[in-house]
Amino acid sequence: MATAIPNTMKGIRIDKTGGVEVLNYRTDLPVPTPREGEILVKNDFVGVNYIDTYVCPIILLLSALNS
């Protein structure tokens, strides 16, 4: 049974370095369009690992330094 694919989805964006205060909850993110050889997977539940709250700011900082 196929269901309609919505135009938007919920998600958390991280636009700058920082702690949990920079996690930006959004309800208007565009649903990605799969390219050839890809599929779109619907997630009912997702989570963030505790260690990711430490690693993500480091990755963003390194990315900013390299650009």
Side-chain angles (χ1 to χ4, degrees):
M1 175 168 94
T3 58
I5 298 173
N7 294 325
T8 60
M9 64 182 186
K10 299 174 190 172
I12 296 177
R13 293 217 23 193
I14 303 171
D15 297 316
K16 58 185 175 181
T17 59
V20 294
E21 71 276 0
V22 301
L23 299 177
N24 185 14
Y25 177 71
R26 304 278 303 268
T27 59
D28 61 346
L29 296 172
V31 173
T33 303
R35 295 179 287 205
E36 186 170 338
E38 297 179 339
I39 61 170
L40 186 63
V41 177
K42 180 181 182 233
N43 293 306
D44 289 320
F45 297 96
V46 297
V48 176
N49 292 318
Y50 181 73
I51 193 67
D52 291 336
T53 62
Y54 292 103
V55 173
C56 192
I58 294 168
I59 292 172
L60 289 172
L61 177 61
L62 291 174
S63 176
L65 293 174
N66 289 328
S67 59

